[in-house]
Amino acid sequence: MRKLHYSIVINASKEKVWNTMLGKDSYKLWTDVFAPGSDYVGDWSKGSKMLFHGPEETGAMSGMVSRIKENRPYEYISIEHIGIMQNGKEDTSSELFKEWAGALENYTFKEIGSKTEVLIDVDIAEKEEYEEMAQTTWPKALQKLKQLAEKETQ
C-alpha cells in the first residue's frame, strides 16, 4: 500500500467545508472528477457501512465497500475500505480486492482564521496506474470542492 498526501486551503468555515464534502448532493459534484456519477449509500456515523460507487462497468471495479472508522464532526473522518463493488456486487475476497484491503482515507479539517485547510491522507494499491490516476484526479477534485464550498459562502 502506498500513502499519498494532499491538502488545500478553502475560504470557508470548517463546518461549511465538511458539509460540502459529505453532503449528498455536493458529494456527487466534487467526486464526479474520479468517476462521473459517483455517489454513496449509507451514513457518515462511526462504524457505519458505506457503499461508494460510480457507474457500473462490466467486469470492472465500480466502487468501494467501506466503513467509517472514525468521525469527529468538523475535525476528522477516517474511511476504511473493506471491499470493492464489482458487477453490482460486494466483493471481499478477490485478488483485486486484496490489493485494496484495509486502505484508509483520512480527512483532517484545520481552521486557519476564517479559512479551512483540508489535509487528506489516502492509501492506494501498489500499482503505478493507481498512483498516476490519484495524482491527476485528487488535485482536480479538491479544486472542485474548494469552488463549491467557496461559492456557497458568497
Side-chain angles (χ1 to χ4, degrees):
M1 204 66 64
R2 293 181 186 179
K3 289 199 178 297
L4 302 178
H5 309 281
Y6 302 95
S7 67
I8 192 164
V9 175
I10 299 174
N11 189 19
S13 68
K14 290 191 310 183
E15 294 81 5
K16 176 56 81 176
V17 175
W18 176 277
N19 291 332
T20 302
M21 180 177 271
L22 305 182
K24 187 74 165 166
D25 292 334
S26 49
Y27 175 88
K28 293 176 185 181
L29 297 174
W30 77 269
T31 59
D32 192 66
V33 172
F34 296 106
S38 290
D39 199 358
Y40 67 82
V41 175
D43 72 78
W44 297 98
S45 58
K46 183 177 179 176
S48 290
K49 180 179 177 180
M50 294 285 282
L51 300 178
F52 296 97
H53 58 89
E56 286 297 321
E57 296 177 21
T58 305
M61 183 172 93
S62 60
M64 303 301 281
V65 179
S66 307
R67 77 174 177 90
I68 304 304
K69 188 172 180 177
E70 185 64 51
N71 182 333
R72 296 191 305 268
Y74 314 119
E75 292 179 15
Y76 179 79
I77 192 158
S78 179
I79 304 164
E80 180 180 23
H81 299 303
I82 58 174
I84 61 172
M85 296 296 295
Q86 190 164 305
N87 297 320
K89 297 185 171 122
E90 294 181 28
D91 171 2
T92 58
S93 61
S94 72
E95 288 304 312
L96 180 57
F97 165 67
K98 289 176 186 174
E99 294 177 18
W100 291 95
L104 295 174
E105 291 184 27
N106 296 319
Y107 301 85
T108 303
F109 299 77
K110 289 188 175 181
E111 197 168 67
I112 305 171
S114 61
K115 298 179 182 183
T116 302
E117 182 178 23
V118 182
L119 303 159
I120 299 108
D121 299 304
V122 295
D123 295 331
I124 62 165
E126 289 278 346
K127 284 192 176 173
E128 195 170 313
E129 67 257 25
Y130 294 140
E131 184 168 355
E132 287 173 8
M133 185 194 81
Q135 297 290 19
T136 301
T137 54
W138 268 106
K140 290 177 185 175
L142 291 176
Q143 282 300 316
K144 184 69 173 180
L145 175 65
K146 177 181 174 76
Q147 175 189 10
L148 290 167
E150 290 178 352
K151 179 180 178 186
E152 292 178 11
T153 58
Q154 295 176 356

